[in-house]
């Protein structure tokens, strides 16, 4: 069996699961979900192993070619992110199985599967319109997940998120229409060939980027993120912070590089970098002010997105080595943040289960009781702070090298100060857990499954520091992105 | 200036109105309507711009607009559901200021 | 590829993981794992030392970034530090088991304790700057929980100070290493040729990087004015203080500076380009400043802490003197200071545990009550002053010779002044211990039953006596082939005077 035949199943199976789980009784829903999770993990692993090392794969759904049919393309980047999605979504799914109340599960599973299908669709999409459909499906599923549970605060956060996401999608769609008007194609490969720079293209790209920035929650368009990510149920928070916002960033960076923007708009790139610095400092500062654990973690996402924004100016370098390092570092940062943040949200959820309240002050004395959760939180924190050995450190090292080679020393300062700030707000959490209290508090006991899911994700973000050459080799496999990078 | 360009310009105008309404209004239903206007404007631009300067009918934008309308309807339905839930819970037709 | 260096690292790392997973109540099993891991590590280190003696340098490497590897390599200098840490880890573990008897949170404590030693081993065996950096930061992370172990607001404050200093230092070090890699293109220890070339191309930039790295390492080595975290961290339990001062943290900084001067920039280049003189000056100043501040302390552990600030700079002074004798003095002091300081901290812990003594004025007549601990304390203190034949004398002797050889006789003045100050802050303490009358009641008495020879609990007393004996032996038998001095000579001969 060739790996090509596996591709459509990555979309069909989750979509089928989404429809099925909406209809089946709870027990059957859980069992079928477990089976599909297993098959997805297996399929993405096989794809990664069978990935041809010379050229990307193309697959036309139902043998309908472009422009009307749907073409899937699989390059190293897509394969790596398929794997990342399988890993994180599987663990979040397992977590949800034992975390969510039976009354919440019938709502969760269909949305979960739509989310997964949308993510796979986005990693594999080869044209702008399929990306739009993927983005919309992703946003709607994510908004539904945030509202899960139905409390007023969640509904409010979901509404805020929904309006931001809808506005973002329309900005993106408007940009795509303009691009189509100017170039007559939506296929990314074709577009890259015929792309010509002009006011219309510039406006179109600006709209697309602005729409994607709103969906990714880049500073200063981040205000919807903290209530949505902190307020949602724990497995949902992990999915949103680890995967959902990464999808729109992935599209933005792909378009940016494949349409050869790094050479065209140096000023915009510097501006995006500046926004990244703003995100790092503002997000870090706000994380330092929060009194609730999940709010700290959510603001940390806002801050960490700043690192991803820094890739844009680093790519705009005259040295191809520097831009190569920047893209490698950026994708690695995305990967390690996804693992670490998912682990951290799950660990935070466990800590809140232990303490019974979500305030930081409720954590006092927790580190003596059930140290496993603190340990998982700590491992994820190490990666987020970018301290060695961790995926976060390796990514930061590559970005530092890129900044040094391209002579943009000011971003070095931003990166280093950002890590100090993240150390400040994360160690603040730890110091609460070490405080010894006089009164003996009764702590709850999360199940072993919950603890293992959090620990696995956090440990993976650390292990990424030792095995970084593997994903880096996948990222470097030939494909439109690597070719455009030169 | 041809018919298609007029469509496109009309679409741009609708987008402007929609965006204006989206930013200006607090009321959730009004925002939703503004969003729908914005969407319609976008579809008009898509159809209009795509056809201008090319002879004959281009099937691609029509397929896209159809898909887009389906997506917009789904989004509207979800929004309406959330708005209804919110007004039931809070007895208010707009989002209250951040109180956390 | 040789797995032995990795095995040395993994013994304490595995022990840490197992201990984390053990339930709090399994005290015996935990102690057993601790001691077994410490002994196993010691045996493995002895194997490594054997290999190094036979001119074989076991190396383990694993690529973690394109073109950059995690390298663990046993060379003579690495084994100096690794040997010291693994030996003292055994004694500190034994001591900690006794010290924390009946204390809460032992699972967490011993887990991080082992992790801390694993990182120290990583620092010792690091074969390039990146590996060094990785374990240097890991050391920061694994010592923080130990510093805040008591969980009081005071210890959390100390932990925060510790973090601010060490993380800022770590960032500077990271910046320095990244800059160095961008300039030179490699980070391996011992390959000084590529760096010399880069240095001649951009002397200003490379000197800047040198001082950046120096400051980054100087935070842990507690050079003035980066030392303030060390006395604050005294709120931690006594075994942690021993770890900070003698086994791991401060030593890691000093060891890093040795690597920087000898294996990254190369001693000849550093000396020719005048990079060493600022180090000599700052080390000399820190020696005097630390001693002066120690004189003013009334808390035993604080006085010892400032004494460490001063004593660690002896090491830096030695390596900043260009010439084999100065190097010898600095290297051997790395070991000697560790032995003597660990003894002194053990004694301070014994006094606090057994009689509740924390302040110097409470020590009156304690020699009659706890003669063995007091004898050990006396040995350590006299060694610090530099009285022959205790270990400290050997260090100071070679440092003095090194100063003369390097043509800096004023350093001799610093050494003499510092010895006088050492005497001034230790001798009155000794006088109180032995020649003052004991008070009617001690601040707080431990139960009589568990004490050995009327002194302290055996877990506390025996490690103290052993380290005290070792610091005497290191001086008495300095000429023997297995002494720290001989090993330091081997390093000097083999690596710096080819």
């Amino acid at each position: 069996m060739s790996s090509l035949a596996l591709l459509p199943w990555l979309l069909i199976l989750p979509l089928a699961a989404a429809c099925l789980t909406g209809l089946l009784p709870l027990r059957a829903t859980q069992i079928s979900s477990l089976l599909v999770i297993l098959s997805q993990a297996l399929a993405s692993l096989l794809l990664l192993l069978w990935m041809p090392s010379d050229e990307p794969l193309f697959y036309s759904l139902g043998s309908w070619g472009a422009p009307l049919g749907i073409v899937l393309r699989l390059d190293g980047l897509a394969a790596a992110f398929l794997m990342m999605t399988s890993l994180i979504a599987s663990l979040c799914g397992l977590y949800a199985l034992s975390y969510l109340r039976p009354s919440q599960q019938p709502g969760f599973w269909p949305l979960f599967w739509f989310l997964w299908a949308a993510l796979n669709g986005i990693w594999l999409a080869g044209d702008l319109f399929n990306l739009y459909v993927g983005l919309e499906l992703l946003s709607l599923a994510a908004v539904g997940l945030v509202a899960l549970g139905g409390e007023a605060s969640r509904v409010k956060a979901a509404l805020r998120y929904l309006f931001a996401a809808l506005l973002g999608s329309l900005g993106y769609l408007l940009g795509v229409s303009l691009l189509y008007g100017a170039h007559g194609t939506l296929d990314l490969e074709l577009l890259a060939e015929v792309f010509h720079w002009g006011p219309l293209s510039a406006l179109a790209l600006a709209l697309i980027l602005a729409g994607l920035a709103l969906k990714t929650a880049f500073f200063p368009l981040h205000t919807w993120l903290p209530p949505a990510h902190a307020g949602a149920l724990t497995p949902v928070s992990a999915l949103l912070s680890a995967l959902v916002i990464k999808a729109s960033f992935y599209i933005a960076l792909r378009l940016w590089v494949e349409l050869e923007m790094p050479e065209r708009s140096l000023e915009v790139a510097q501006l995006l970098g500046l926004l990244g610095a703003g995100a790092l400092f503002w997000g870090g500062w706000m994380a330092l002010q929060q009194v609730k654990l999940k709010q700290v973690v959510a603001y940390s996402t806002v801050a960490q997105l700043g690192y991803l924004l820094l890739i844009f100016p680093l790519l705009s370098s005259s040295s191809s080595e520097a831009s190569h390092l920047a893209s490698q570092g950026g994708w690695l940062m995305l990967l390690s943040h996804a693992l670490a943040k998912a682990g951290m949200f799950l660990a935070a959820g466990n800590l809140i289960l232990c303490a019974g309240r979500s305030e930081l002050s409720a954590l006092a004395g927790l580190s003596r009781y059930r140290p496993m959760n603190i340990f998982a939180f700590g491992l994820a924190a190490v990666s987020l702070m970018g301290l060695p050995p961790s995926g976060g450190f390796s990514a930061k090292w590559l970005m530092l090298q890129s900044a040094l080679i391209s002579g943009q020393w000011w971003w070095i300062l931003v990166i280093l100060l950002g890590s100090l700030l993240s150390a400040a707000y994360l160690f603040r959490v730890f110091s609460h857990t070490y405080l010894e209290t006089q009164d003996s508090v009764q702590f709850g006991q999360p199940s072993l499954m919950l603890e293992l899911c959090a620990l696995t994700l956090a440990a993976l973000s650390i292990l990424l520091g030792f095995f970084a050459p593997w994903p880096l080799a996948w990222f470097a496999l030939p494909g439109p992105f690597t070719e455009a990078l030169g | 200036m041809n018919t298609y360009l007029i469509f496109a310009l009309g679409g741009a105008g609708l987008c402007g109105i929609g965006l204006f309404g989206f930013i200006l209004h607090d009321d959730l239903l009004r925002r939703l309507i503004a969003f729908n206007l914005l969407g319609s404007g976008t579809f008009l631009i898509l159809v209009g711009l795509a056809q201008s300067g090319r002879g004959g009918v281009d099937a691609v934008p029509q397929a896209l607009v159809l898909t887009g309308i389906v997506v917009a309807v789904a989004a509207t339905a979800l929004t309406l559901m959330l708005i209804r839930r919110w007004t039931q819970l809070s007895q208010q037709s707009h989002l209250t200021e951040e109180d956390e | 590829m040789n797995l032995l260096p990795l095995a040395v690292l993994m013994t304490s790392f595995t022990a840490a993981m197992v201990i984390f997973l053990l339930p709090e109540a399994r005290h015996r099993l935990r102690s057993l794992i601790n001691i077994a891991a410490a002994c196993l590590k010691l045996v493995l280190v002895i194997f490594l030392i054997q290999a190094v003696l036979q001119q074989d340098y076991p190396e383990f490497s694993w690529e973690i970034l394109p073109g950059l590897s995690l390298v663990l390599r046993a060379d003579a200098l690495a084994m100096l530090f690794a040997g010291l840490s693994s030996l003292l880890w055994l004694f500190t573990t034994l001591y900690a088991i006794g010290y924390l008897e009946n204390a809460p949170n032992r699972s967490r404590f011993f887990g991080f304790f082992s992790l801390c030693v694993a990182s120290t081993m990583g620092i010792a065996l690091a074969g390039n700057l990146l590996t060094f950096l990785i374990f240097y930061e890991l050391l920061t992370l694994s010592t923080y929980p130990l510093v805040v172990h008591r969980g009081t607001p005071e210890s959390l404050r100390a932990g925060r100070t510790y973090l601010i200093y060490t993380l800022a230092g770590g960032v500077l070090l990271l910046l320095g290493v990244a800059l160095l890699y961008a300039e030179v293109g490699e980070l391996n220890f011992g390959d000084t040729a590529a760096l010399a070339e880069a240095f001649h191309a951009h002397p200003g930039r490379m000197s800047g990087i040198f001082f950046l790295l120096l400051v980054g390492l100087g935070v842990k080595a507690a050079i003035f004015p980066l030392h303030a975290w060390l006395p604050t961290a005294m709120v931690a339990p006594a075994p942690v203080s021993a770890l900070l001062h003698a086994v791991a943290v401060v030593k890691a900084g000093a060891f890093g500076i040795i690597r920087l001067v000898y294996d990254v920039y190369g001693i000849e280049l550093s000396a020719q380009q005048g990079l060493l003189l600022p180090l000599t000056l700052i080390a000399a100043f820190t020696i005097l400043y630390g001693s002066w501040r120690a004189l003013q302390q009334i808390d035993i552990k604080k006085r010892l802490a400032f004494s460490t600030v001063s004593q660690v700079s002896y090491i830096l002074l030695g390596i900043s003197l260009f010439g084999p004798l100065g190097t010898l003095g600095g290297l051997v002091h790395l070991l000697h200071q560790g032995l003597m300081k660990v003894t002194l901290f053990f004694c301070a812990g014994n006094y606090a545990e057994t009689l509740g003594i924390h302040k110097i004025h409470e020590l009156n007549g304690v020699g009659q009550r706890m003669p063995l601990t007091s004898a050990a304390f006396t040995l350590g203190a006299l060694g610090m002053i530099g009285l022959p034949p205790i270990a400290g004398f050997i260090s100071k002797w070679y440092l003095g010779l090194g100063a003369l050889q390097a043509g800096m006789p004023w350093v001799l003045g610093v050494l003499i002044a510092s010895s006088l100050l050492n005497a001034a802050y230790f001798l009155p303490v000794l006088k109180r211990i032995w020649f003052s009358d004991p008070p009617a009641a001690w601040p707080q008495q431990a139960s009589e039953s568990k004490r050995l020879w009327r002194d302290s609990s055996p877990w506390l007393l025996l490690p103290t006596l052993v380290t005290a004996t070792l610091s005497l032996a290191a001086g008495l038998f300095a000429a023997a082939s297995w002494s720290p001095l001989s090993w330091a000579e081997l390093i000097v001969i083999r690596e710096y005077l080819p």
Side-chain angles (χ1 to χ4, degrees):
Chain A
M1 193 161 93
S2 92
S3 46
L4 212 49
L6 277 174
L7 269 190
W9 294 106
L10 285 172
L11 296 179
I12 296 170
L13 270 181
L15 282 175
C19 301
L20 258 180
T21 48
L23 303 170
L24 290 175
L26 182 60
R27 201 72 209 152
T29 295
Q30 291 174 335
I31 292 170
S32 57
S33 289
L34 270 179
L35 286 176
V36 184
I37 283 178
L38 217 66
S39 70
Q40 289 287 298
L42 198 65
S44 40
L45 189 66
L46 286 178
L47 268 184
L48 203 57
L49 293 178
W50 290 345
M51 190 66 204
S53 58
D54 46 351
E55 54 175 7
L57 294 173
F58 290 93
Y59 183 90
S60 304
L61 273 185
S63 307
W64 284 69
L68 281 178
I70 297 175
V71 177
L72 305 178
R73 64 169 191 188
L74 179 77
D75 56 6
L77 272 179
F81 289 135
L82 282 174
M83 189 66 231
M84 167 185 95
T85 310
S86 292
L87 210 67
I88 294 173
S90 305
L91 286 165
C92 290
L94 289 179
Y95 188 91
L97 264 183
S98 56
Y99 181 88
L100 295 182
R101 281 195 294 275
S103 63
Q104 291 164 333
Q105 297 218 8
F108 175 81
W109 288 107
L111 290 169
F112 172 79
W113 283 115
F114 273 125
L115 190 92
W116 196 334
L119 283 168
N120 282 354
I122 289 171
W123 310 136
L124 290 171
D127 70 78
L128 288 169
F129 199 74
N130 287 335
L131 284 175
Y132 168 71
V133 176
L135 269 178
E136 278 292 20
L137 186 59
L138 185 68
S139 300
L140 296 183
V143 169
L145 283 172
V146 171
L148 208 67
E151 290 90 341
S153 62
R154 289 201 175 120
V155 172
K156 190 166 92 174
L159 268 172
R160 259 173 212 276
Y161 180 19
L162 181 60
F163 279 124
L166 288 180
L167 201 59
S169 309
L170 279 183
Y172 174 84
L173 186 63
L174 201 55
V176 169
S177 328
L178 294 179
L179 268 188
Y180 185 75
H183 301 93
T185 181
L186 290 171
D187 185 75
L188 280 174
E189 311 265 307
L190 282 176
L191 185 67
E193 279 169 31
V194 302
F195 187 75
H196 47 89
W197 188 240
L200 198 58
S201 306
L203 179 64
L205 282 176
L207 281 168
I208 291 179
L209 271 186
L212 292 173
L214 188 57
K215 275 175 174 283
T216 317
F218 279 141
F219 178 84
L221 304 172
H222 65 276
T223 44
W224 62 266
L225 186 144
H229 286 200
L233 292 162
T234 298
V236 176
S237 308
L239 283 170
L240 292 183
S241 256
L243 296 174
V244 172
I245 51 171
K246 304 293 161 43
S248 37
F249 173 77
Y250 169 84
I251 300 174
L253 193 58
R254 270 213 120 131
L255 283 178
W256 182 265
V257 169
E258 288 177 25
L259 297 181
E260 298 184 342
M261 294 306 290
E263 292 90 58
R264 288 206 176 91
S265 40
L266 298 174
E267 296 82 5
V268 179
Q270 291 292 325
L271 179 71
L272 287 173
L274 209 60
L275 292 182
L280 268 174
F281 297 137
W282 179 251
W285 177 250
M286 289 303 285
L288 213 47
Q289 312 297 318
Q290 301 306 311
V291 288
K292 290 188 171 175
L293 180 58
K294 278 178 83 179
Q295 291 273 359
V296 175
V297 185
Y299 270 106
S300 135
T301 301
V302 173
Q304 296 279 323
L305 283 172
Y307 285 121
L308 298 183
L309 273 171
L310 290 183
I311 301 166
F312 290 96
L314 292 181
L315 279 172
S316 301
S317 153
S318 49
S319 140
S320 77
E321 195 195 348
S323 28
H324 186 69
L325 281 170
S327 92
Q328 294 270 26
W331 292 128
L332 193 63
M333 180 62 90
L334 194 159
L335 196 57
S336 69
H337 177 256
L339 289 169
K341 194 45 73 68
M344 183 173 271
F345 258 124
L346 296 188
N350 290 343
L351 290 178
I352 292 172
L353 275 186
C354 286
R357 288 188 295 132
S358 56
E359 279 80 16
L360 284 177
S361 55
L363 299 178
L366 247 183
S367 78
R368 57 195 298 184
Y369 180 85
R370 220 57 201 168
M372 189 132 117
N373 294 313
I374 300 279
F375 190 59
F377 194 91
L379 289 182
V382 168
S383 187
L384 286 185
M385 290 184 256
L387 288 178
S390 69
F393 171 76
S394 301
K396 215 170 275 182
W397 173 268
L398 292 172
M399 288 172 75
L400 281 177
Q401 287 301 322
S402 163
L404 281 171
I405 291 174
S406 63
Q408 307 186 55
W409 53 267
W410 49 93
W411 302 129
I412 299 173
L413 294 183
V414 171
I415 292 174
L416 294 179
L417 287 176
S419 349
L420 279 183
L421 200 54
S422 49
Y425 63 72
L426 289 170
F427 271 109
R428 184 169 156 256
V429 176
F430 283 108
S431 65
H432 278 283
T433 71
Y434 278 103
L435 202 62
E436 298 276 328
T437 43
Q438 294 302 319
D439 46 326
S440 61
V441 196
Q442 282 298 309
F443 289 124
Q445 166 72 68
S447 75
L448 188 66
M449 177 67 132
L450 299 183
E451 295 187 329
L452 279 181
C453 285
L455 191 66
T456 311
L457 282 167
L460 280 172
S461 75
I462 296 289
L463 283 179
L464 191 58
F466 291 104
F467 297 95
W470 297 2
L472 291 178
W474 302 331
F475 296 151
L477 284 178
F481 185 88
T482 32
E483 273 160 35
L485 208 59
Chain B
M1 176 72 84
N2 56 27
T3 347
Y4 298 123
L5 212 53
I6 294 176
F7 277 130
L9 285 178
L14 271 184
C15 277
I17 297 172
L19 193 63
F20 188 67
F22 197 87
I23 294 169
L24 210 66
H25 287 297
D26 267 350
D27 189 277
L28 291 169
L29 272 180
R30 281 172 197 264
R31 286 186 99 173
L32 181 61
I33 294 169
F35 157 74
N36 271 293
L37 268 182
L38 200 55
S40 306
T42 313
F43 298 144
L44 265 181
I45 293 178
L46 185 55
V47 176
L49 261 190
Q51 309 284 14
S52 73
R54 273 185 215 97
V57 178
D58 190 346
V60 174
Q62 300 189 355
L64 302 191
V65 169
L66 273 178
T67 322
I69 289 172
V70 173
V71 171
V73 168
T76 309
L78 178 64
T79 322
L80 280 174
M81 199 196 82
L82 284 177
I83 292 176
R84 216 182 73 148
R85 178 83 189 160
W86 170 248
T87 34
Q88 271 175 357
L89 287 172
S90 69
Q91 307 299 329
Q92 271 166 331
S93 61
H94 56 87
L95 292 182
T96 42
E97 279 308 301
E98 205 57 48
D99 45 1
E100 286 168 74
Chain C
M1 187 80 87
N2 190 322
L3 291 179
L4 198 53
L6 186 67
V8 169
L9 201 72
M10 291 313 278
T11 40
S12 24
F13 184 77
T14 318
M17 292 301 126
V18 174
I19 290 169
F20 276 134
L21 293 176
L22 275 188
E24 180 67 32
R26 304 294 299 273
H27 298 307
R28 277 168 176 278
L29 184 58
R30 184 166 49 237
S31 304
L32 191 69
I33 293 172
N34 259 321
I35 296 171
C39 292
L40 180 63
K41 180 195 283 296
L42 205 54
V43 171
L44 290 175
V45 166
I46 290 171
F47 272 117
L48 276 182
I49 289 178
Q50 283 298 330
V52 171
L53 270 177
Q54 288 153 15
Q55 305 265 18
D56 176 26
Y57 302 106
E59 182 176 308
F60 168 85
S61 97
W62 175 263
E63 193 176 41
I64 55 167
L65 277 170
L68 271 174
S69 295
L70 184 91
V71 180
L72 298 173
R73 186 169 182 274
D75 59 15
L77 183 56
M79 294 328 292
L80 181 81
F81 190 29
L84 171 79
S85 311
S86 48
L87 186 70
L88 293 189
W89 185 39
L90 179 62
F91 298 129
T92 319
T93 305
L94 290 173
Y95 189 86
I97 291 172
Y99 191 86
L100 290 176
E101 216 168 14
N102 306 324
N105 303 344
R106 273 181 276 174
S107 191
R108 185 181 81 194
F109 181 88
F110 283 105
F112 282 112
F113 205 74
S114 301
L115 206 56
C116 180
V117 176
S119 356
T120 311
M121 283 294 143
I123 288 174
L125 295 173
N128 61 22
L129 256 181
L130 185 75
T131 315
F132 182 87
L133 176 73
I134 289 175
F135 289 107
Y136 192 78
E137 294 283 17
L138 199 61
L139 184 63
T140 305
L141 292 175
S142 51
T143 36
Y144 171 77
L146 298 177
V147 173
V148 300
H149 180 73
R150 290 199 202 277
T152 56
E154 193 195 2
S155 63
L156 285 172
R157 257 199 312 282
R160 194 160 65 219
T161 313
Y162 177 65
L163 273 184
I164 290 172
Y165 274 87
T166 48
L167 285 179
V171 162
L172 290 182
L173 190 66
L174 169 64
L175 181 61
V177 175
L179 285 167
L180 197 71
Y181 185 66
E183 290 291 331
V184 183
E186 60 138 12
L187 294 171
N188 284 338
F189 287 147
D191 290 347
T192 47
L195 192 134
E197 207 172 291
F199 198 102
H200 294 303
H202 306 285
R205 202 179 296 171
M206 296 301 286
S207 308
I209 296 175
F210 179 86
F211 288 110
L212 204 58
L213 292 169
L214 188 64
V215 172
L217 295 165
V219 171
K220 279 217 175 85
I223 305 181
F224 177 87
L226 310 168
H227 65 280
W229 61 270
L230 190 59
T232 324
M234 286 293 84
V235 294
V240 176
S241 303
L243 203 67
L244 290 176
H245 286 257
V247 189
V249 179
V250 175
K251 285 299 160 56
F255 182 75
I257 295 177
I258 299 179
R259 283 287 193 201
L260 173 68
V261 172
Y262 287 89
D263 284 337
V264 178
Y265 275 69
I267 180 74
E268 286 190 27
L269 183 77
S270 317
Q272 280 163 14
Q273 302 295 334
L275 300 176
L276 292 180
L277 188 63
L279 184 57
T280 314
L281 291 176
I282 198 80
F285 181 76
T286 311
I287 289 174
L288 294 178
Y289 173 83
S291 304
W292 176 249
R293 287 296 303 274
L295 202 54
Q296 300 159 353
Q297 307 302 319
I298 52 162
D299 189 287
I300 304 174
K301 283 176 84 182
K302 279 224 159 127
R303 183 169 285 194
L304 292 180
F306 276 107
S307 155
T308 303
V309 171
S310 156
Q311 294 283 334
V312 169
S313 277
Y314 277 104
I315 304 172
L316 305 183
L317 185 72
I319 59 179
S320 72
L321 296 172
F322 181 60
L325 290 175
T327 307
L328 192 58
L331 289 179
V332 81
H333 199 57
L334 187 83
L335 283 179
H336 288 164
Q337 190 267 350
L339 285 172
M340 296 184 295
K341 198 34 86 55
V342 95
T343 310
L344 289 173
F345 271 109
F346 284 169
C347 293
N350 288 357
Y351 288 140
E353 274 299 283
T354 312
L355 298 177
I357 294 175
H358 296 280
K359 302 276 186 255
I360 284 167
H361 64 80
E362 294 164 346
L363 282 170
N364 283 352
V366 78
Q368 298 164 29
R369 183 70 175 66
M370 297 170 64
L372 289 170
T373 301
S374 300
F377 189 89
T378 310
L379 255 177
L382 293 179
M384 283 290 176
I385 298 170
L387 208 71
I390 307 167
F393 165 72
I394 308 286
S395 318
K396 284 191 182 173
W397 174 256
Y398 280 102
L399 284 175
L401 290 181
L404 293 177
Q405 191 182 39
M408 293 193 212
W410 59 270
V411 170
L412 221 52
V414 172
L415 288 175
I416 292 168
S418 151
S419 297
L420 288 178
L421 283 169
N422 289 348
Y425 67 73
F426 272 131
L427 288 182
V429 178
L430 296 184
K431 178 177 165 288
R432 275 181 193 278
I433 291 178
W434 295 112
F435 302 112
S436 297
D437 292 329
W442 301 101
Q444 162 198 332
Q445 289 258 29
S447 68
E448 289 286 324
S449 60
K450 283 190 192 156
R451 293 194 281 121
L452 183 66
W453 300 316
R454 291 192 57 248
D455 194 302
S456 311
S457 124
W459 290 99
L460 301 183
L461 188 60
L462 291 179
T464 315
L465 293 179
V466 174
T467 51
T469 318
L470 283 177
S471 43
L472 182 62
L476 269 181
F477 304 107
S481 64
W482 43 266
S483 73
L485 184 67
S486 308
W487 191 260
E489 268 172 0
L490 180 83
I491 298 172
V492 173
I493 291 168
R494 222 183 245 186
E495 297 193 11
Y496 306 126
L497 297 175

